[in-house]
Structures are given as C-alpha cells and as structure tokens.
Amino acid sequence: MLFSKKKKEEPASIEALELEADTSGMTEEQIAAQSAAEVLDKYDRESAYRNKLPKILKNLVGVILIAFSVFQIYTSIFTIQERLLRPIHLGFAMCLSFLLYPARRHFRRDRIPWYDWLLAAASIAVTLYIPFNLSYLVRNIGNYGTKEVVIGIIGILLLMEACRRIVGTPILIVVTCFLAYTFFGQHIAGTFGHRGYTTRQVITHMYYTLEGVFGTPIGVSATFICLFILFGAFLDRTGVGKFFIDLANAIAGKRIGGPAKVAVISSAFFGTVSGSSVANTVGTGSFTIPAMKRLGYKPEFAGAVEAAASTGGQLMPPVMGAAAFLMAENTGFPYSRIIVSAIIPAVLYFSGILISVHHEARKLGLKGAASEDVPKVVHLLRERGHLLVPLIYMIYMLSSKATPAYSALGAILSSLIVYSVEWWALIPIGFMVVCKEFVPSLHFTQYALIAIGIWIVICLFRRKLGFRIVEVLESLREGARSVLAVAIACGMAGMIVGTVTLTGLGLKFATGISYLAGGNLYLLMFFTMLASIVLGMGVPTTANYLITSTICAPALIALLIDINGLSAPTTAIIMGAHLFVFYFGIIADITPPVALAAMAGSAIAKGEPFKTGVTATRIAIGAFIVPYIFVLNPAMLMIDTNVFFIVFSLATAMLGMYSLSGGLAGFVQDECKWYERILLVGAGLAMIYPEVASDAVGVVVLAFVIFMQKRRAPKRAA
C-alpha cells in the first residue's frame, strides 16, 4: 500500500495495454467471464484442458464425452452389475483424461500428441480387460497369472498419470506413500509393521477386487456423483448461476455491506451443487468481488469473503458437493439423516461469515448498494423463479426416500422442461410429484415418459421448444468433462482404502494417534484436525473426504467409544466423527499455505494471496470451532434431542458467532479495546457450546461489552 501512488503514476505495461485492447467493446459480463477463465486455468487443474483443438478432434473428443454421459444415464435406468459398471466408468474417465489434458500445463492445447493417443488406447484396453474376462477372473480369483499382474500394474500406473494431470500431485504423493507401505511395511518395526505381501498379492487386491481401484469410491462416482454433476451442467445451462447472484442481490444488496452479503448468499446457493471450491469461487466471484471492491472493501477481504463462502457451499445441504452420498455409503446411514445433521453446522458457518462481513462494513462505514441497482425480489421470482423448480424437485425426491440416481435423473429432466417452457413446467413436474406420492406402483421411468409426453404437448401448444438439441449435447459434454477429475480421484482413493483393508493400517493409525494424544479427546481432535487439513490440501472434495474418513475418522470413533464406555459406536459418534473430518478436509481450501480457493479469490481481487488466505481463515472461524462442539454435544447434529433444545441451542450459538466474529473483527457497536476483544471471543465460545450455564455467562458478557460500547460511541462520534 505504501507504493500505491507510485504505481498509479507509472505508464501502463505492454500486457495491460494488450488486455485493454482485448477487452474493448466487450460487455461487463464478457470481461468477467474472460477473467474467470484465466483464473480457473491458473488455479484449477480441471480447467486447464485442451480447449483449442481443431474442429475434427474437438468433435471426436466431444462424441466420446457425450457417449460417457449417455452411458451413465443408461446404466442408472437399466442397472448393470458393479463389476462391469465400475471398470467401464473408470475407462471412460482415464481415456478422456489423456485426450483432454496435456502432460504439462504449459504444453500446446491445439493438438493431441501421439503418445496421448497411445495412453488413451492403453487405458481402454486395461480397464475393459476386466468386463471382457469377468467369468475367468471370478473363477480364478487369488490364482492370477503373470498377464493379469502386468495388466494390473499398467492400469495402476496409467491411473496415477491421469491423476497427476487432472487432479494434481498432492493426492498422487499420498497414494504413492500408501502403496509403498503395502510393499515395504514389513520392514517397519513396532505397531505399524505388517507381515509383508508379494507384488502379485498387492496388485490382485488393488486392481481385481472391489476393495481397491474399483472399490466403493469409484462405485459411488459411477452411480450417484456422476449424475449429480450432470444435473449441475444442465442446471447451469438454464442460467441459474446468474439467477442466484441476482436473487442474493435482491435479498441483501441494500443492506450494510450489501455486495459482500450477496457473495455469501449466492455462494451458499450455488456451492451446494458445485463440487469445487475453486470453481465456485471464480464462478460467483467474477461478479461479486469487483462489486465488493467498488463499495470500499479491501482486495484481500473481498477475495477472502468469496473464498470462505464458496468453500462452505460444499458444507451446505442438500447436495454438499456430492460428498453426502459418499458419507451415506461409508456410514451406512440414510441420505436424509446426513443432510439433517449437517443443517445446524452449515447455518452457523454461513451466519459467522455474514456477521463478519457486517462487522467489517460497520467498522469501515460502508453502506449498501443504491436502490435502483438492486432488483426487486417479487419481480425476480416472477420472471426467473421457475429456475428454482429443478432444485426444489430434487430436494423433494431425496427427502421422499427416492434413490439418489432417480432423484438426479428427475432433476435433469425437470431442468430441461423448465428451460424450454418456463412456468408451464409445473404441469409435467407436478404430474411426476403426484405419481410419486399417490401411485407408488408406477416405476420412475413410466411416469417420467408420461411427463415427457405432456411436455411435448405443451411445446406444441406454445409453438416453441425453447432450446436446441445442440445445447443438450453441450450440457452432456460439459457434464462428462466435469466428472473426469472426480472419477480419477475416486479411483486413487480406492487404493488408499485398499491399503487399509489389506494391511489393517486404519486400526494401527487410530491406535497410534490415540497413543500420541494420551487418551485426551481434545488433543485427539486437534491432531485429527491437523491431519485432515494436511490431507485435504489441493485435493478435490470427494477425494479428501474419502481419505480423511478412511484414515482419521476411525481414531476419533475408537476414543469416543472408550470414553463413553460403549461396546459399539452410536449414531452420534459415527456422524460426529465423519462430519468432523469432512469439515476440516473442506476448509483446507482456505487454510494457508495452500488455500487454493483463497488464491483464486486473491487473483480476481488483485490482492496479496497469503493475506487473503489468513483473512479467509478468520472469516470462516466457525468452521474451526463448530466441529469440536458437535462432536462433544450431538444436539448440534439433531441427534438424541428435542425441538426446544435445538431452537435454544441454535439461537445461543448464533449469538455466540456474533460475539466471536465481533471480537476477531475488533468491532461490534464501536472499535473494541484489547480486553473487549478477549471478552467477546470468550463469550462467543461459551455460547456456541450448547449448555445453559455457559450460555448464560456468554450472554451476560456480550451484553456488558455492547453496553460499554454504546455508551462511548456517541462521545467518539462527537
């Protein structure tokens, strides 16, 4: 900041003049889209693909992408056995990874070199070997020859190379360490040693069973996650992302610090569907961050708000970036139980960010946007409210105990209908709801076909279809491309799970970390938090949850069982442990030094990256505290409690977030003195913990600080 004037006086650089020339004649939305694409290319590996291929190659790869999406939709309607589905799913993902992603990010993106064609063909060969020889592999399990071992080794190496290109090196390093442990762990003395395994045993376990590469993670990717990512692609085609921003602007734009609150609300809306912190940060941040800077927020704070809110979107029910389905699979609980337990922690997280934004705005004396710049909620809902119908329908389907696959398929169909006939879509979608409720004997495909017929009649009646087939194909193509990183990461995570099941490493890690903590629950939670954050750095949401739930959660569950004197874990213990590691794996995206989401936010805001990460951590402080609370008291997860206690706990916890955020920001009603900041932080922690005595102490301390600040605020103003 000391050199800001000097920078303004210097002549513009050649790069700046070129950029100015490039953006001349472009609309604000086009400039924002171009800036977003540049930031994504730098910070999001999934976006650094070959996007300048010649038309013939582009169409060829596009056909394979569309075939991938169509295959996933077909297999969700007509079920095939998992030993066929999983290898084909991963084969598509690996092949497309080599065709779309260069070996180095700086390599040319307008051609596909010969060796990538070779690697793509080899990926298809080694994965399809399993379904084409399934009967032989099942008959001879445990007695495979050299050919099967060589194919398994090639398949694992190709998967690791695809991971390096599309996901990144952090998860590759982690998986490499786990594989090294399976091969050389017998040389480790003490608890962490194992009896030793031959290369044949390791490769057989990792590649030919359902406990390695083709284990539960890739199974969830092939059945649930892929469809929900496709739904996100179709939903994005309807323009729902811009609608979320406009709706958030209508709700909070005129409030104190309005643009920052708009960023928080829109990111919460969009982030629950988006499975990427970085993509969410860039997608909404390209509009909200410039608005925050224009209002008067510092670049680092603007970037931090967007990064913290976008990262938290994956903690927000109902979709939670598709990780909720993995959690349901891992814990054995129904999906509805997962999202109900996640509601209060998510509300506290976003409340904390909104309160931090409010305190910062009052501290800087910032106002909201002008009335003429803020759309009316009623007008917005009347014009574009139909875009919410697919999301509402999906939530209804999931809450009515429909399978996730049929919920996603119905949501995809409803997004197509909504896009083409707008509010008229309520007729066919309402028909599907009525059938689901009152004619349960009808299969989903039956009433979906009837709904499609009604949709066609409406289109003929209105004499317009509203969209082109090209746009449907584009959605299928983009959805498939978005699946690639998740599928590859799930395949890699499967090898971590395979190592744990083969060597018993999970139990050994749980024993080791419990010994290190000395049986102290608070120390164990702290060590688990550190391990989850480290394992989650630079790793996609689904993969980091798979890693942390496999390695870190068992230690926490084991100690909680011992402390409570139980013979088996309860619902509260399992849910608390899994959500604990999930939270800390997610917020690794805003925790320095890696903090990819904060880096993306700082790039858009033109701020200092590390400072943006530190600020994002302060703003999202709730994410570092709330998990401790719900592990200690399951009432926060709405388990073993009643409505009165839930409402009371939520109200006092919200007051706690207000006090805590004020103490960290240094402002509530006036600038805080040093001792007031300490009192506010202490009061906030006391009220977040759901206990009557601590709540009473916290309320009294907060009231005292507010009273003192209100007394001196008029004097300072005078």
Side-chain angles (χ1 to χ4, degrees), residues 245-246 249-250 253-254 259 262 294 368-376:
I245 295 174
D246 291 341
N249 193 25
K254 292 189 289 186
V262 169
R294 284 195 297 268
S371 298
E372 58 270 19
D373 296 330
V374 177
K376 298 288 189 293

Side-chain angles (χ1 to χ4, degrees), residues 338-603:
I338 304 293
I339 59 174
V340 167
S341 293
I343 289 174
I344 291 180
V347 168
L348 291 178
Y349 178 88
F350 280 100
S351 298
I353 299 175
L354 280 171
I355 292 166
S356 296
V357 164
H358 182 77
H359 286 320
E360 188 75 16
R362 293 196 62 192
K363 182 179 178 180
L364 298 174
L366 305 179
K367 304 298 182 183
S371 298
E372 58 270 19
D373 296 330
V374 177
K376 298 288 189 293
V377 175
V378 175
H379 180 71
L380 197 62
L381 290 176
R382 185 171 62 248
E383 282 195 341
R384 288 185 282 162
H386 57 272
L387 297 177
L388 293 175
V389 173
L391 273 174
I392 295 170
Y393 176 75
M394 182 194 68
I395 294 169
Y396 155 75
M397 288 286 284
L398 289 170
S399 61
S400 64
K401 297 183 180 179
T403 65
Y406 286 146
S407 300
L409 284 172
I412 290 171
L413 176 60
S414 64
S415 65
L416 283 172
I417 299 174
V418 161
Y419 185 39
S420 61
V421 298
E422 299 179 352
W423 284 111
W424 289 84
L426 291 176
I427 297 175
I429 294 174
F431 171 80
M432 290 196 290
V433 171
V434 170
C435 288
K436 177 73 174 64
E437 287 293 330
F438 300 106
V439 196
S441 58
L442 275 181
H443 191 265
F444 168 80
T445 52
Q446 292 175 311
Y447 61 75
L449 285 172
I450 300 173
I452 291 171
I454 298 171
W455 171 32
I456 293 171
V457 171
I458 293 172
C459 290
L460 294 173
F461 173 75
R462 297 184 73 232
R463 295 185 180 179
K464 83 175 197 181
L465 193 58
F467 69 92
R468 298 171 299 167
I469 296 298
V470 173
E471 292 174 327
V472 176
L473 296 177
E474 185 69 16
S475 297
L476 291 171
R477 188 179 67 80
E478 284 301 310
R481 191 181 62 78
S482 300
V483 169
L484 301 183
V486 175
I488 297 298
C490 286
M492 294 291 286
M495 287 193 279
I496 295 176
V497 177
T499 299
V500 170
T501 56
L502 182 65
T503 65
L505 180 62
L507 179 61
K508 295 172 183 177
F509 185 85
T511 304
I513 199 171
S514 297
Y515 176 79
L516 187 63
N520 184 293
L521 179 59
Y522 295 96
L523 271 179
L524 178 63
M525 286 194 290
F526 179 73
F527 291 146
T528 304
M529 176 190 76
L530 292 181
S532 299
I533 289 175
V534 171
L535 290 172
M537 287 181 175
V539 178
T541 303
T542 47
N544 76 40
Y545 167 69
L546 287 167
I547 296 170
T548 54
S549 62
T550 302
I551 300 301
C552 302
L556 196 53
I557 292 172
L559 186 57
L560 285 169
I561 291 173
D562 289 341
I563 289 174
N564 290 284
L566 302 172
S567 58
T570 61
T571 299
I573 289 175
I574 297 173
M575 187 70 70
H578 279 263
L579 278 175
F580 186 91
V581 298
F582 177 61
Y583 260 65
F584 287 114
I586 292 294
I587 61 174
D589 281 341
I590 55 170
T591 306
V594 178
L596 288 180
M599 297 295 176
S602 71

Side-chain angles (χ1 to χ4, degrees), residues 213-404:
V213 170
F214 302 108
T216 298
I218 203 69
V220 175
S221 172
T223 51
F224 304 147
I225 297 176
C226 184
L227 288 175
F228 278 90
I229 291 175
L230 278 174
F231 167 59
F234 278 93
L235 198 63
D236 186 57
R237 183 65 52 178
T238 66
V240 74
K242 183 66 168 61
F243 172 69
F244 281 151
I245 295 174
D246 291 341
L247 182 60
N249 193 25
I251 294 170
K254 292 189 289 186
R255 311 294 179 187
I256 295 173
K261 293 177 180 177
V262 169
V264 177
I265 296 171
S266 60
S267 296
F269 284 152
F270 189 68
T272 187
V273 180
S274 168
S276 169
S277 302
V278 175
N280 192 16
T281 299
V282 174
T284 55
S286 57
F287 295 97
T288 59
I289 290 175
M292 283 189 270
K293 290 176 66 180
R294 284 195 297 268
L295 187 67
Y297 285 107
K298 295 179 180 177
E300 289 79 11
F301 189 83
V305 167
E306 182 57 54
S310 295
T311 299
Q314 296 170 85
L315 307 173
M316 175 63 74
V319 181
M320 298 169 66
F325 305 109
L326 287 170
M327 200 175 296
E329 192 77 19
N330 283 355
T331 60
F333 298 139
Y335 172 83
S336 56
R337 175 70 266 173
I338 304 293
I339 59 174
V340 167
S341 293
I343 289 174
I344 291 180
V347 168
L348 291 178
Y349 178 88
F350 280 100
S351 298
I353 299 175
L354 280 171
I355 292 166
S356 296
V357 164
H358 182 77
H359 286 320
E360 188 75 16
R362 293 196 62 192
K363 182 179 178 180
L364 298 174
L366 305 179
K367 304 298 182 183
S371 298
E372 58 270 19
D373 296 330
V374 177
K376 298 288 189 293
V377 175
V378 175
H379 180 71
L380 197 62
L381 290 176
R382 185 171 62 248
E383 282 195 341
R384 288 185 282 162
H386 57 272
L387 297 177
L388 293 175
V389 173
L391 273 174
I392 295 170
Y393 176 75
M394 182 194 68
I395 294 169
Y396 155 75
M397 288 286 284
L398 289 170
S399 61
S400 64
K401 297 183 180 179
T403 65

Side-chain angles (χ1 to χ4, degrees), residues 57-281:
L57 288 179
K58 185 177 181 180
N59 290 339
L60 175 60
V61 175
V63 168
I64 301 174
L65 285 165
I66 293 167
F68 187 18
S69 293
V70 171
F71 169 76
Q72 291 299 146
I73 293 173
Y74 174 83
T75 55
S76 63
I77 299 173
F78 306 101
T79 307
I80 65 173
Q81 61 172 299
E82 54 192 11
R83 286 184 177 272
L84 297 176
L85 172 62
R86 296 179 185 184
I88 297 173
H89 175 76
L90 187 60
F92 264 119
M94 289 169 62
C95 169
L96 287 164
S97 296
F98 291 117
L99 295 180
L100 279 172
Y101 291 85
R104 289 282 185 270
R105 299 184 72 167
H106 62 274
F107 282 9
R108 291 175 58 179
R109 300 185 189 178
D110 59 351
R111 64 186 183 91
I112 303 175
W114 65 268
Y115 53 82
D116 279 344
W117 286 108
L118 182 62
L119 293 175
S123 299
I124 296 172
V126 295
T127 51
L128 292 189
Y129 179 81
I130 295 175
F132 277 112
N133 297 275
L134 186 59
S135 58
Y136 166 79
L137 293 173
V138 170
R139 286 197 313 270
N140 293 275
I141 190 166
N143 190 33
Y144 297 142
T146 304
K147 181 176 70 173
E148 282 72 36
V149 174
V150 171
I151 290 173
I153 292 173
I154 294 172
I156 290 172
L157 291 176
L158 287 171
L159 176 61
M160 295 174 80
E161 170 59 14
C163 174
R164 185 190 67 80
R165 294 188 182 197
I166 192 171
V167 183
T169 54
I171 187 173
L172 178 62
I173 293 170
V174 171
V175 172
T176 302
C177 291
F178 274 84
L179 287 177
Y181 175 76
T182 61
F183 283 108
F184 307 111
Q186 68 270 25
H187 302 298
I188 300 175
T191 304
F192 283 90
H194 59 70
R195 62 183 179 86
Y197 303 94
T198 64
T199 300
R200 187 183 303 274
Q201 288 174 313
V202 173
I203 299 304
T204 298
H205 184 80
M206 293 295 177
Y207 200 74
Y208 294 104
T209 70
L210 295 181
E211 294 183 353
V213 170
F214 302 108
T216 298
I218 203 69
V220 175
S221 172
T223 51
F224 304 147
I225 297 176
C226 184
L227 288 175
F228 278 90
I229 291 175
L230 278 174
F231 167 59
F234 278 93
L235 198 63
D236 186 57
R237 183 65 52 178
T238 66
V240 74
K242 183 66 168 61
F243 172 69
F244 281 151
I245 295 174
D246 291 341
L247 182 60
N249 193 25
I251 294 170
K254 292 189 289 186
R255 311 294 179 187
I256 295 173
K261 293 177 180 177
V262 169
V264 177
I265 296 171
S266 60
S267 296
F269 284 152
F270 189 68
T272 187
V273 180
S274 168
S276 169
S277 302
V278 175
N280 192 16
T281 299

